[in-house]
Amino acid sequence: MSNLRRIIWLASYPKSGNTWMRSLLAHYFMPPGQAPDINNLRRFTTADIRQDFFDAANGAPFSTDSVSEWLRVRDKALRLIAGSKPGTHFVKTHCQAVQYMGHHLIPPDVTAGAVYIMRNPFDLAPSFARHQSADIDTAIDRIMNPETMMGTETGIRDAMGRWDTHIETWTGAPGLPRHVVRYEDMLDKPAKVMRGLLDFLSVKPDSAKLAKAIKATTFEAMKKQEEAHGFFERPAGMQAFFAKGQAGVWREDLTPAQVGRIREAFLPTLEKWYPELLQETAEVAAAG
């Protein structure tokens, strides 16, 4: 276990398409008939909030109210996760790629690379509000807050921060092999996006396998799975994890004032990653 640089992070702000990406990759890489449903994705990939790895790293059931204790055990848990498979493997995270209280949230010594999935903040805000069982203004406050965290009941945390900073830390991390995917492009041209991703992974695309993976993981297919069997990753109080899954829903979900708040807070990042939204969001904000 001397070289633990085996983790390919599947990184995103919550509600940006991480579950969809994990499902797509599982259906592409796993043998026919063995790809997991949404409640068994850990058969293909894992996450940096897995309780069992924290328990093992802690040497006892892990539970804490202390951020510093979470960080201390996280360092050990990530090494266990990295060593849990012999080669490179995917690990979901919502954490920023930063040093936090003296700890690397994404340690270079366990990292082989990253796939970063982003979603425009106008669509993300109402989806994140449903995820948090909060109103949209509160959700906007949270995606603008540099200290925003989520956590499990046992104190395992996702240190997310602001939406724009999250993107900057991952897309600008020095020396990190990375591939950036926009959720909107996944919706628009999933085959093209996946071919680009497979190229990053040095995998020659198989057109038939790719077509089957895309068909099996449409938003409607995953929504039907949740309706039939539930989804254990759905936060308590959230009615449906797979609610809309579309681009442009902000036009119905947000008020002009909310569009203006988001636009003003994140303008430099929008100019870089979502220039096509600048004019319309400016017009909507001004109309309010």
Side-chain angles (χ1 to χ4, degrees):
M1 289 177 58
S2 57
N3 181 8
L4 290 178
R5 292 179 180 171
R6 303 176 190 174
I7 294 177
I8 300 175
W9 298 99
L10 297 179
S12 69
Y13 212 86
K15 301 305 296 177
S16 298
N18 204 306
T19 302
W20 183 16
M21 177 61 77
R22 286 182 289 148
S23 296
L24 265 169
L25 290 169
H27 278 269
Y28 184 85
F29 283 110
M30 293 188 74
Q34 294 185 29
D37 64 26
I38 58 173
N39 285 308
N40 292 293
L41 286 172
R42 67 165 54 186
R43 286 173 47 200
F44 173 72
T45 185
T46 189
D48 62 350
I49 59 168
R50 279 271 296 268
Q51 183 69 42
D52 51 350
F53 283 105
F54 272 79
D55 292 345
N58 193 46
F62 177 80
S63 183
T64 186
D65 293 325
S66 165
V67 173
S68 60
E69 182 67 5
W70 160 64
L71 289 167
R72 183 188 70 80
V73 178
R74 176 184 171 84
D75 291 340
K76 298 178 181 179
L78 292 184
R79 293 183 68 81
L80 293 178
I81 289 171
S84 65
K85 295 182 180 180
T88 56
H89 52 103
F90 298 108
V91 178
K92 170 191 171 183
T93 186
H94 289 317
C95 283
Q96 299 178 76
V98 295
Q99 283 197 57
Y100 191 81
M101 294 175 61
H103 295 256
H104 282 283
L105 292 180
I106 307 299
D109 62 348
V110 299
T111 298
V115 177
Y116 187 76
I117 311 128
M118 71 174 70
R119 186 182 189 185
N120 84 73
F122 304 102
D123 283 334
L124 186 143
S127 185
F128 190 55
R130 289 188 291 272
H131 184 270
Q132 298 276 288
S133 297
D135 61 74
I136 291 177
D137 283 312
T138 299
I140 293 172
D141 289 341
R142 291 176 183 170
I143 68 173
M144 291 168 53
N145 184 348
E147 299 301 322
T148 292
M149 281 190 177
M150 300 190 310
T152 69
E153 293 180 355
T154 60
I156 303 172
R157 291 166 167 82
D158 289 306
M160 297 133 40
R162 286 170 58 99
W163 174 83
D164 54 351
T165 305
H166 199 282
I167 290 174
E168 290 162 13
T169 66
W170 279 99
T171 61
L176 174 68
R178 73 183 71 82
H179 183 74
V180 179
V181 172
R182 299 196 322 170
Y183 178 82
E184 296 78 14
D185 297 331
M186 288 176 65
L187 285 171
D188 187 38
K189 296 180 179 179
K192 181 180 179 180
V193 168
M194 288 301 294
R195 286 179 178 275
L197 174 52
L198 291 170
D199 183 63
F200 168 72
L201 297 172
S202 300
V203 174
K204 184 178 180 180
D206 180 313
S207 296
K209 284 173 61 177
L210 185 55
K212 289 180 180 178
I214 290 170
K215 183 178 180 180
T217 57
T218 64
F219 184 84
E220 286 305 317
M222 291 191 290
K223 185 179 178 69
K224 287 179 180 178
Q225 286 185 43
E226 182 184 17
E227 290 171 347
H229 307 293
F231 184 36
F232 80 89
E233 293 184 26
R234 182 176 65 206
M238 186 182 189
Q239 289 188 343
F241 189 90
F242 300 98
K244 294 186 178 181
Q246 302 168 345
V249 294
W250 63 269
R251 297 180 180 91
E252 291 79 40
D253 290 348
L254 301 183
T255 66
Q258 289 166 340
V259 172
R261 283 186 68 203
I262 294 170
R263 193 180 189 282
E264 181 179 3
F266 301 136
L267 187 57
T269 304
L270 291 168
E271 289 173 338
K272 182 174 182 179
W273 293 104
Y274 287 98
E276 73 275 18
L277 293 177
L278 292 174
Q279 182 175 343
E280 183 181 3
T281 54
E283 292 171 354
V284 170

